[in-house]
Amino acid sequence: MMPDIYDLELARAGRVIIDDLCRVWEGESVLITIDSCTDCKPAEETAKAAEAAGARVIMAWHSTPMGYGKVTDSMLPEPLKEAIPAADVWIEFNTQWLLYSTPWTKAVSNGRTRYLFLGGLDRERIVRCIGRININKQEAFQNKVVELTRKAKKMRITTPKGTDISFENSPDRPVFSELRADTPGAHFLLGQIAWAPVEDSINGKIVFDGSFSGGGEAELGILAHPIELIIKQGRIVAINGDEEARKLERWLEKLDDPKMFNLAHVCYGFNPGAQLTGLCTEDERVWGATEWGIGFQGAYFKGTQGEAASHADGVCLNSSVWLDQEMLLDEGVVVHHELLPLARELGK
């Protein structure tokens, strides 16, 4: 059998996932889920690394759901629903996410399962976004961003395409630095920092000009035309734009859930290897982008919105960000004096 593309690099990425990110122990049960539309090779290499670490491994390859979150509940095999919250470590490679489904909620709230979301990452993406990243330097950069963001009481984000949104932060809510997955609960691909602002303080305009992802018919990918959201007190009150905006409106109406019009969270994108490719997992980590989630709000955000029928994410490229009166990003470029040397070490 001849070696396949990225075989060596994938072996390294698998080791990083198991040893450095999830910190799998000998004897732990590791569940790896992947739907039928996703490149299996990264999941296979991760499974091999888990086996080498002495874990008890199962890889669940299943038919592709037609949507995200609770939409998938009726489409999953019953044994898989039972296996998910029974795992010590669950790594999800699904392109159509089980994230925010009922089994997911059970798993991330049971006080044991460590969940790492790597949804849809193919072999090239996982090499760029994990295998070639200096984890220690990335962690130092992200920790400093979290420190600065936690101190900010008021924030403003703008973009060249028209985003101009302001909000307040609560000191009682966590700011998540997505990198390691070594504690119980939900964790995501490195290079993202996420939190829930005070919902009724969010006002202004959000313009998605990168990509939009809602699963199924709302999986819009890279946007040919921007989608403009008018936000009042944390809710979408108007959607403007061309064909993509109309598709989003129809999808939200079809779900028939008022909570789908709520803003759930905001994120920074800071993965040095991420590119805009149409895959949300990667797109929302493009360096200097910001991302907003709508609909389902995980309880770990400690917000007020709660569960919803589904969840969707939109990306705003080249963001400028102010922490109170201090600038963090200028059209996607790090300008804060405490971050500049750390960004340079990451090649940014």
Side-chain angles (χ1 to χ4, degrees):
M1 182 176 178
M2 292 295 292
D4 204 352
I5 185 171
Y6 287 123
D7 263 358
L8 296 176
E9 291 86 352
L10 281 171
R12 171 178 170 76
R15 186 199 64 76
V16 171
I17 292 167
I18 295 300
D19 294 346
D20 295 341
L21 302 186
C22 295
R23 290 176 170 165
V24 171
W25 310 333
E26 184 174 354
E28 286 193 303
S29 61
V30 175
L31 170 66
I32 298 170
T33 58
I34 182 166
D35 50 13
S36 58
C37 69
T38 305
D39 181 3
C40 278
K41 190 66 174 176
E44 291 175 3
E45 292 302 323
T46 303
K48 291 177 186 176
E51 181 71 23
R56 293 171 291 177
V57 186
I58 182 169
M59 191 167 83
W61 180 59
H62 60 89
S63 55
T64 302
M66 299 300 290
Y68 295 157
K70 288 186 179 297
V71 172
T72 70
D73 283 357
S74 63
M75 306 175 190
L76 296 179
E78 292 302 318
L80 180 57
K81 294 180 184 179
E82 295 298 319
I84 285 170
D88 294 312
V89 177
W90 171 27
I91 303 169
E92 180 179 7
F93 282 94
N94 298 55
T95 295
Q96 296 292 294
W97 313 335
L98 308 185
L99 172 68
Y100 301 133
S101 66
T102 297
W104 176 89
T105 300
K106 291 179 180 178
V108 301
S109 60
N110 65 16
R112 186 189 74 254
T113 301
R114 311 197 296 280
Y115 164 79
L116 177 60
F117 176 75
L118 302 176
L121 292 182
D122 60 17
R123 60 194 73 193
E124 188 213 350
R125 289 184 175 104
I126 207 164
V127 169
R128 283 195 282 102
C129 296
I130 296 178
R132 290 176 176 164
I133 304 298
N134 185 310
I135 299 298
N136 292 332
K137 290 181 179 180
Q138 183 72 24
E139 188 169 39
F141 175 85
Q142 291 186 201
N143 286 347
K144 177 55 69 172
V145 175
V146 168
E147 177 188 326
L148 295 170
T149 302
R150 279 181 175 151
K151 293 177 181 177
K153 296 179 180 179
K154 295 183 179 180
M155 291 186 60
R156 180 187 177 201
I157 301 173
T158 67
T159 67
K161 292 293 185 180
T163 294
D164 195 342
I165 190 87
S166 298
F167 54 88
E168 297 175 8
N169 291 332
S170 168
D172 299 323
R173 297 188 182 184
V175 178
F176 296 101
S177 181
E178 300 301 347
L179 193 136
R180 301 192 191 276
D182 56 353
T183 57
H187 305 276
F188 299 83
L189 173 65
L190 64 90
Q192 185 178 74
I193 293 165
W195 72 101
V198 177
E199 288 83 1
D200 61 9
S201 75
I202 311 172
N203 292 287
K205 181 168 60 176
I206 296 172
V207 180
F208 297 139
D209 62 326
S211 63
F212 186 89
S213 174
E217 62 192 86
E219 192 65 20
L220 305 182
I222 296 175
L223 297 171
H225 309 96
I227 299 174
E228 179 185 282
L229 308 181
I230 305 301
I231 309 298
K232 290 187 178 179
Q233 294 184 321
R235 284 185 57 81
I236 302 167
V237 298
I239 302 173
N240 304 315
D242 292 313
E243 179 183 357
E244 294 91 341
R246 303 288 76 78
K247 286 182 178 179
L248 173 56
E249 278 188 316
R250 289 194 295 269
W251 179 65
L252 289 173
E253 290 168 3
K254 185 176 178 180
L255 289 175
D256 192 27
D257 182 353
K259 287 193 172 185
M260 284 303 300
F261 290 83
N262 292 339
L263 293 182
H265 60 71
V266 63
C267 305
Y268 301 119
F270 283 124
N271 187 306
Q275 302 173 9
L276 189 71
T277 61
L279 179 73
C280 179
T281 308
E282 179 175 20
D283 292 351
E284 62 187 15
R285 288 159 177 80
V286 168
W287 191 277
T290 50
E291 177 268 331
W292 289 88
I294 65 174
F296 190 112
Q297 184 186 64
Y300 48 84
F301 281 112
K302 297 186 178 179
T304 61
Q305 310 296 48
E307 297 187 2
S310 190
H311 183 86
D313 299 279
V315 176
C316 307
L317 300 172
N318 304 310
S319 296
S320 297
V321 177
W322 286 263
L323 307 174
D324 294 318
Q325 301 302 314
E326 196 166 23
M327 203 170 196
L328 179 78
L329 288 171
D330 184 3
E331 295 191 2
V333 179
V334 171
V335 293
H336 195 282
H337 68 280
E338 292 185 64
L339 288 173
L340 278 172
L342 298 171
R344 290 192 185 109
E345 287 193 4
L346 293 167
K348 293 294 182 178

